[in-house]
Amino acid sequence: DPDMPFVPSIPEDQFILVEEGDPTVIPCRTSDPDAQVTLINSLDKAVYALYDTKQGFIGNFPAGSYTCKTMAGGVEFKSDEFLVYIIRATSQLPVEIEALKTVYKTGETIVVTCVVFDNEVVNLQWNYPGKVKEKGLIKLDDIKVPSQKLVYTLTIPEASVKDTGDYECTARHATKEVKENKKVVITVHDKGFVHLEPQFSPLEAVNLHEVKNFVVDVQ
């Protein structure tokens, strides 16, 4: 098609996530399999890489924006812009879940943290009793130094007894079929309580110089 030398790309194809050191494809394909195609970087410099008419340019590309160009009928055409993002990702998915405490009183704020190590891009989902009612605030902190970790914090303000249950986070790898989930059990009481059970009588007699132990069970 001389009016459409490049096959239109969908938005999902224009954002390319690739792990450090891995080859990838910049998917600019032509409607003419014999067309001469050049890959251009953001500095308008030609990038030399293997071109496959059914896939696009194949190679190890630094992070940045790339455009393809070709000639059709003496006119130069440019493809859509493709953005390559280099991500740090390990084949494993180390995940830890942390809760400052697991027993709360009504009205307190529940805070649960899920930490993903050594991976920059993951899909993380929470499951917890208040999720159906969309009760809860989720915050993400992307920490680079001294090591890479993603810290997802779930906050439940004004907790009630109905917020008692399992708090689970599930992390899925951005580029591999790997997932990991962790769980913590949170209990919310209607009010605080202390139960004392003394293990002695109201009146105790002690001989001179005798050592007497007074034991109280506290729950």
Side-chain angles (χ1 to χ4, degrees), residues 200-208 210-214:
F200 51 88
S201 304
L203 178 64
E204 293 280 349
V206 183
N207 294 325
L208 186 64
E210 180 186 354
V211 175
K212 186 86 172 183
N213 291 325
F214 296 90

Side-chain angles (χ1 to χ4, degrees), residues 93-98 113-117 124 126 143 148-153 169 171 182:
L93 199 57
V95 177
E96 288 184 5
I97 194 166
E98 301 169 354
T113 301
C114 196
V115 184
V116 181
F117 298 91
L124 187 131
W126 286 97
I143 299 172
Q148 171 66 46
K149 61 181 179 180
L150 298 172
V151 182
Y152 296 85
T153 304
C169 66
K182 291 295 172 85

